[in-house]
Amino acid sequence: MKQILKAFNLPIDSKVKPLGNGLINSTYIVSSNNINKQYVLQNINTNVFPDVDALQNNIERVTAHIRTKLQERGTTDIDRHCLKFLIDNNGKTYYHDGKKFWRVMEYITDSVTVEVVTPESANAAGRAFGDFQSMLADMDPLPVETIKNFHNMEFRLKQLNDAIVANRLGRLDKVKDLVNEIQQDRELATTAERLQRQGLLPTRVCHCDTKVSNILFDNDGNVLCVIDLDTVMPGNILSDYGDFLRTAGNTAPEDEPDLSKINLNTPVIEAFTKGYLESAGCFLTDTERQLLPHGQYRFAYMQAVRFLADYLNGDTYFKIQYPEHNLVRARAQWQLAIKCKAAF
Ligand code: GN1
Ligand code: MG
C-alpha cells in the first residue's frame, strides 16, 4: 500500500478503508491527518477490463470533454461535478504495482450515495443523465467499447446459453424454471438489437451503468456528479434510462430475496422520466421516446440473464456476499422484469 500511495504522491501514513458496494472493482477511501483532502483509491478489475490503458484513456477523454462543457456554461465548482484523477509518478492516471492496477480520484466532499431515491432526487437524476448524454453527444472520435458487446442482449443470451450447456457446477437443475421463463421472453428482450440493425435506434454515447449508487447527491437530493465512468461507450439511450430505473424504479434492492417486495416505484419512474425528457427531449427521436418504458424492462431482464449466467458459471464475474447471491439477484431482477412487462 505504501508503494501505491507514494506513486500518487499521497502521505504514506494514510488510512485506507473500504468504500461503496461496487460489484467489479475494489474501492477504498484514503485519508490522512497530513492533508485536508480525501481520495478514492481503486483497484481495477483486469478480468473485466484487461486493457487498462485504453480504459483510462477513455475516461480521460470523457472527463476532459465534460469539463470543457461545464466551463463553457460557466460552472464554477467543476471539481464537484466531474471526477478528477491523480497522475502518478510515471505521468499516468493509473499505476501498476507489478501485479495490480490502481487509480486515484479526488473525493468529492459533502456528497452521498443513496440506495432509495425520492421523486425529487429521481427528477434531478433524470435531468443529470439526459444532460450527461447531451454533453457527450459530440465526442469525436467516439469513446471505445471498454467491454465488447456490453449491453448487447443477443450476446448476453448467448453467454447464458453457453453457461447452460457447460453447467460447470451442476447447478442447472435448480434453476430450470427460471431459465425457461427467461428464454421465453427472448423475442421481446431483443427488440432494441433489431431496431438498431434496422437503423431505427441511433447510436449515442452512454454511461452504461447508471444504477443509483453511481450518482453522488448533495444533502438536498441534488445531483452533484455522475461517477463510475468505466463503461462510458457508444450504445443506445435505453441503457441509461433503463438501468437507472432498474435500481431506482424498484421498491426493493436489486438482490431482494422476498419477491413480494419487488414492485414498480411509479412516483420515482414518473419523476425520473420527466427530468430525463427535460434535458434529453431536444435530441430524442420518436422511436426513442416511445421505447422508454421498454428500457426498464430491458435492463431488469439483461441483469437477470447476467446474474443467472454468472451463477451457473460459478460466480466468477460479480462479487458475491453469500453462496446463492447471484441466484437471488437473478430471481429478483426477473421478478422486476415481469412487473415492468405488466405495466406496458
Ligand atoms: C456492475 O461495479 P458496479 O457495481 O458499478 C456491472 C454493471 C451491473 C451492476 C449490477 C462493468 O456494476 O453492468 O449492472 O454491477 N458493471 C460491469 O449491480 O459489469
Ligand atoms: Mg460499474
Side-chain angles (χ1 to χ4, degrees):
M1 192 47 73
K2 284 190 176 147
Q3 178 195 344
I4 300 157
L5 293 169
K6 223 170 132 190
F8 286 100
N9 212 8
L10 293 171
I12 52 167
D13 67 345
S14 300
K15 279 200 206 91
V16 179
K17 290 189 190 151
L19 176 72
N21 53 5
L23 305 190
I24 305 295
N25 300 313
S26 300
T27 308
Y28 307 89
I29 179 134
V30 178
S31 40
S32 159
N33 294 334
N34 297 325
I35 38 170
N36 51 18
K37 276 187 178 172
Q38 290 178 299
Y39 296 88
V40 175
L41 170 70
Q42 263 184 332
N43 169 220
I44 302 171
N45 182 332
T46 47
N47 290 328
V48 176
F49 301 107
D51 190 346
V52 176
D53 197 68
L55 173 76
Q56 285 303 109
N57 187 265
N58 239 29
I59 293 180
E60 285 163 30
R61 288 189 51 231
V62 166
T63 50
H65 199 89
I66 291 177
R67 279 170 184 274
T68 307
K69 297 280 168 176
L70 293 174
Q71 243 152 23
E72 284 167 7
R73 284 181 190 174
T75 307
T76 45
D77 47 356
I78 290 179
D79 288 348
R80 291 181 67 67
H81 295 283
C82 183
L83 290 178
K84 187 173 185 181
F85 287 81
L86 300 198
I87 310 284
D88 80 340
N89 52 19
N90 292 314
K92 296 198 180 295
T93 58
Y94 61 88
Y95 173 71
H96 188 225
D97 68 5
K99 272 196 195 136
K100 292 181 169 181
F101 284 89
W102 302 86
R103 65 184 171 201
V104 179
M105 290 150 263
E106 285 189 6
Y107 177 77
I108 298 176
T109 51
D110 297 322
S111 65
V112 288
T113 53
V114 296
E115 294 299 332
V116 180
V117 298
T118 60
E120 290 72 36
S121 53
N123 185 265
R127 265 181 280 127
F129 279 123
D131 192 36
F132 186 85
Q133 288 179 332
S134 71
M135 282 196 282
L136 295 177
D138 59 347
M139 249 185 105
D140 184 25
L142 285 173
V144 298
E145 251 191 315
T146 52
I147 302 176
K148 199 127 189 48
N149 288 320
F150 188 51
H151 279 177
N152 179 336
M153 195 75 88
E154 290 163 352
F155 171 74
R156 294 300 179 187
L157 281 163
K158 171 156 188 329
Q159 282 188 321
L160 175 60
N161 204 52
D162 292 347
I164 291 168
V165 172
N167 192 15
R168 211 171 292 156
L169 270 81
R171 288 174 163 178
L172 182 60
D173 265 354
K174 209 175 159 180
V175 299
K176 274 232 162 98
D177 59 325
L178 184 58
V179 164
N180 286 340
E181 286 180 43
I182 286 181
Q183 286 183 331
Q184 272 167 23
D185 251 23
R186 208 192 153 90
E187 271 303 295
L188 179 63
T190 51
T191 305
E193 279 68 24
R194 281 191 301 279
L195 290 175
Q196 232 163 343
R197 266 196 297 275
Q198 291 161 7
L200 296 172
L201 196 55
T203 298
R204 304 200 187 274
V205 178
C206 298
H207 179 278
C208 291
D209 191 10
T210 55
K211 65 180 186 183
V212 182
S213 50
N214 282 335
I215 303 183
L216 301 182
F217 290 92
D218 69 14
N219 292 318
D220 301 321
N222 302 309
V223 173
L224 280 174
C225 186
V226 171
I227 61 170
D228 191 356
L229 305 174
D230 291 332
T231 52
V232 177
M233 64 177 101
N236 67 65
I237 54 121
L238 295 181
S239 288
D240 290 357
Y241 178 85
D243 215 10
F244 181 83
L245 289 182
R246 179 182 72 78
T247 48
N250 179 353
T251 51
E254 74 173 4
D255 59 353
E256 175 60 57
D258 179 354
L259 299 186
S260 71
K261 290 189 178 156
I262 298 171
N263 277 300
L264 297 188
N265 188 335
T266 310
V268 161
I269 296 171
E270 284 173 357
F272 178 76
T273 306
K274 198 160 170 270
Y276 180 71
L277 288 176
E278 267 168 40
S279 53
C282 54
F283 63 77
L284 295 183
T285 65
D286 286 347
T287 310
E288 286 177 314
R289 246 171 221 272
Q290 281 158 15
L291 269 180
L292 288 181
H294 177 81
Q296 186 182 8
Y297 160 78
R298 174 176 166 82
F299 280 87
Y301 183 94
M302 187 182 294
Q303 208 55 57
V305 169
R306 293 178 65 196
F307 284 144
L308 184 57
D310 198 34
Y311 177 73
L312 289 170
N313 286 334
D315 313 304
T316 55
Y317 188 90
F318 295 108
K319 286 192 235 161
I320 51 167
Q321 274 141 27
Y322 53 90
E324 302 284 280
H325 203 168
N326 272 322
L327 178 56
V328 168
R329 286 167 172 157
R331 290 199 188 278
Q333 291 299 297
W334 174 240
Q335 178 68 11
L336 178 64
I338 292 172
K339 295 279 172 173
C340 294
K341 233 184 357 169
F344 57 72

